[in-house]
């Protein structure tokens, strides 16, 4: 799956937890979940669980730790999909 | 070592479903899950553990200057009583103090040099410090490259940990 496709599927997952709508409208690979989108850190866990369901993958803690921005998250998903 | 974290319990109840399947397991060890599940108020016990982890994360990130990470699982909590506890991270341990009521849960890393805390707005805190320390100018917040906050004045810098959630904001300094 290409990075673009993954990013598109990630958007609706992230959306309900976003507190900065303007930055979400200008979402890029560099967007940081906490600083830019102002997502509550307790909701990062929800994003990880929702990503697992959406892509049917299991995310371990060493991968979860990197998932602080769009680019790293797309990369984690892409790597896990490749291993399936 | 300073680090603090507050959770607005009413906001958290709306924003997070901590009892959804798999949620606790992403954050907590089996020992911590047991502590939460056997507590009289599991909901409070979870936010106690969460704020202990977050305050310890902030303290270790400030100390070791690492890039921001999201791995609450790596911070192993051992609550001693309703206030005191220890958090272990990569072989290093810090003590924490937790304070709570029906509105918030707050934890901070015990630090001999920074035992003061201020509940309130940023402007009120800066004004208070200026008067108390007889500073010539208003101090202001800066962030290090890694996002760690400190207070800047032309005379000296101060280590301050800051936490904000919903209606509550606390500074540890």
């Amino acid at each position: 799956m290409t990075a673009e496709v993954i990013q598109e599927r990630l958007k609706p997952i992230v959306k309900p937890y976003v507190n900065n709508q303007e930055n979400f409208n200008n979402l890029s690979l560099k967007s940081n979940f906490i600083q830019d989108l102002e997502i509550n850190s307790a909701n990062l866990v929800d994003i990880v669980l929702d990503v697992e369901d959406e892509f049917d993958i299991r995310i371990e803690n060493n991968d979860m730790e990197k998932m602080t921005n769009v680019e790293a998250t797309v990369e984690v998903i892409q790597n896990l999909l490749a291993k399936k | 070592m300073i680090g603090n974290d507050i959770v607005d319990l009413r906001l958290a109840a709306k924003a997070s479903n901590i009892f959804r399947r798999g949620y606790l397991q992403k954050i907590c060890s089996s020992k911590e899950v047991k502590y939460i599940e056997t507590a009289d108020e599991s909901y409070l016990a979870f936010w106690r553990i969460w704020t202990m982890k977050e305050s310890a994360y902030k303290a270790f990130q400030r100390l070791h200057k690492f890039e921001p990470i999201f791995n609450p699982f790596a911070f192993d909590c051992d609550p001693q009583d309703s206030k005191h506890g220890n958090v272990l991270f990569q072989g290093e341990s810090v003590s924490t103090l937790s304070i709570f009521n029906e509105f918030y849960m707050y934890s901070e890393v015990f630090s001999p040099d920074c035992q003061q805390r201020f509940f309130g707005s940023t402007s009120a805190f800066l004004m208070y410090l200026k008067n108390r320390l007889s500073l010539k100018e208003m101090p202001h917040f800066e962030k290090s490259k890694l996002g760690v906050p400190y207070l800047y004045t032309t005379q000296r810098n101060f280590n301050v940990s800051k936490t904000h959630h919903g209606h509550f904001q606390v500074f540890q300094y």
Side-chain angles (χ1 to χ4, degrees):
Chain A
M1 208 180 291
T2 66
E4 289 74 24
V5 173
I6 293 171
Q7 194 182 333
E8 276 313 302
R9 281 174 68 177
L10 190 59
K11 264 183 163 171
I13 294 175
V14 170
K15 194 171 189 275
Y17 309 111
V18 166
N19 287 308
N20 187 324
Q21 206 55 47
E22 199 188 323
N23 284 346
F24 180 71
N25 295 338
N26 301 315
L27 196 78
S28 77
L29 281 174
K30 295 291 170 215
S31 298
N32 184 288
F33 290 147
I34 291 176
Q35 274 132 45
D36 301 327
L37 304 182
E38 293 172 27
I39 292 171
N40 200 307
S41 49
N43 286 137
L44 287 186
V45 183
D46 290 299
I47 293 177
V48 171
L49 291 170
D50 293 345
V51 164
E52 287 187 336
D53 290 345
E54 170 69 19
F55 295 93
D56 193 24
I57 50 179
R58 163 126 182 99
I59 297 166
E60 300 296 339
N61 286 301
N62 58 338
D63 278 328
M64 183 166 93
E65 132 174 342
K66 301 172 204 152
M67 294 170 63
T68 56
N69 63 48
V70 173
E71 188 171 35
T73 303
V74 167
E75 222 174 271
V76 164
I77 296 168
Q78 208 165 22
N79 287 340
L80 289 172
L81 286 175
K83 280 186 211 156
K84 269 186 28 172
Chain B
M1 296 288 279
I2 53 171
N4 66 352
D5 194 62
I6 197 160
V7 166
D8 180 328
L9 294 171
R10 282 174 300 181
L11 177 62
K14 275 186 278 175
S16 302
N17 175 14
I18 63 165
F19 298 112
R20 87 181 262 198
R21 194 171 59 85
Y23 190 94
L24 289 182
Q25 287 71 19
K26 280 272 180 263
I27 299 169
C28 299
S29 67
S30 53
K31 204 181 75 193
E32 291 164 350
V33 171
K34 197 174 161 207
Y35 168 79
I36 293 163
E37 287 178 346
T38 57
D40 288 341
E41 293 182 271
S42 293
Y43 182 70
L44 268 184
F46 170 75
W47 292 112
R48 164 86 189 281
I49 295 284
W50 173 269
T51 55
M52 283 173 72
K53 284 173 187 271
E54 286 277 303
S55 60
Y57 162 68
K58 289 180 188 176
F60 282 114
Q61 199 214 356
R62 186 181 288 268
L63 179 71
H64 294 308
K65 301 184 171 66
F66 52 77
E67 291 284 335
I69 55 166
F70 181 65
N71 192 356
F73 195 88
F75 296 80
D76 194 31
C77 295
D78 189 9
Q80 303 292 310
D81 55 35
S82 68
K83 281 184 178 169
H84 304 94
N86 297 308
V87 185
L88 185 71
F89 174 66
Q90 294 182 350
E92 282 184 276
S93 177
V94 289
S95 305
T96 56
L97 175 70
S98 303
I99 304 168
F100 64 94
N101 59 28
E102 60 185 302
F103 302 114
Y104 66 78
M105 173 63 76
Y106 172 77
S107 294
E108 70 181 26
V109 168
F110 176 74
S111 162
D113 306 331
C114 301
Q115 295 201 44
Q116 313 209 59
R117 70 185 78 89
F118 183 97
F119 280 70
S121 73
T122 304
S123 56
F125 174 63
L126 295 178
M127 184 58 90
Y128 169 80
L129 265 194
K130 179 179 181 276
N131 292 335
R132 198 170 159 277
L133 303 173
S134 310
L135 299 172
K136 292 194 195 86
E137 51 181 323
M138 273 302 249
H140 64 268
F141 271 102
E142 297 271 351
K143 272 184 178 178
S144 76
K145 257 188 234 159
L146 297 170
V148 176
Y150 63 92
L151 265 188
Y152 173 86
T153 72
T154 46
Q155 288 135 313
R156 54 172 286 207
N157 292 344
F158 302 85
N159 277 322
V160 177
S161 182
K162 173 182 166 178
T163 176
H164 173 240
H165 187 233
H167 283 97
F168 302 104
Q169 180 164 263
V170 191
F171 302 89
Q172 182 193 6
Y173 64 103

